[in-house]
Amino acid sequence: QVQLVESGGGLVQAGGSLRLSCAASGRTFSTLVLAWFRQVPGKEREFVAAISGRGSTTSYADSVKGRFTISRDNAKNTMYLQMNSLKPEDTAVYYCAAKSSVWSTNYKQYNYWGQGTQVTVSS
């Protein structure tokens, strides 16, 4: 009953910035824990960042801490990932994900997924 659509990916040079958006439809948006994961071919999905239902709590992977910022606008049913100081190792398909209420950084615990958006960072 939750649909997610990512946008904002693209090709940037190292040191550049992108902002990803995740538009959600469905009921009870403000109670959802939302997160970003990323995946490179041949590797397991990797946690990037998560945010609580009202935006009061956030968490980041060590690899992106200080460079990425997760936020949400519940009035617009939208979540964002501001990505600054991008590195080639940030290249991946980025996925928006959602689950009900209980906090998790494990992709296996998320129930709803967007289609993914490609981020490519050149050196």
Side-chain angles (χ1 to χ4, degrees):
Q1 71 273 29
V2 178
Q3 295 175 313
L4 305 171
V5 180
E6 304 99 331
S7 62
L11 173 64
V12 297
Q13 291 187 323
S17 297
L18 286 172
R19 189 180 76 156
L20 306 184
S21 297
C22 174
S25 62
R27 298 173 61 187
T28 326
F29 180 79
S30 64
T31 69
L32 294 173
V33 175
L34 301 174
W36 292 96
F37 295 85
R38 64 188 183 187
Q39 188 166 25
V40 176
K43 296 181 64 178
E44 195 172 27
R45 264 172 286 181
E46 177 188 18
F47 171 75
V48 177
I51 187 166
S52 61
R54 293 165 183 81
S56 59
T57 301
T58 59
S59 182
Y60 298 91
D62 288 343
S63 59
V64 307
K65 194 172 298 181
R67 299 188 298 120
F68 292 8
T69 303
I70 190 170
S71 62
R72 66 193 292 166
D73 185 341
N74 287 348
K76 297 181 178 179
N77 283 12
T78 303
M79 176 179 64
Y80 306 95
L81 184 68
Q82 180 65 47
M83 309 165 68
N84 297 327
S85 302
L86 284 162
K87 304 174 181 179
E89 50 263 48
D90 295 318
T91 296
V93 176
Y94 284 71
Y95 296 92
C96 174
K99 67 186 303 295
S100 297
S101 297
V102 179
W103 186 269
S104 178
T105 59
N106 184 350
Y107 74 89
K108 296 179 180 179
Q109 302 303 312
Y110 280 76
N111 308 110
Y112 307 104
W113 292 88
Q115 82 287 352
T117 185
Q118 176 71 45
V119 172
T120 302
V121 184
S122 61
S123 60

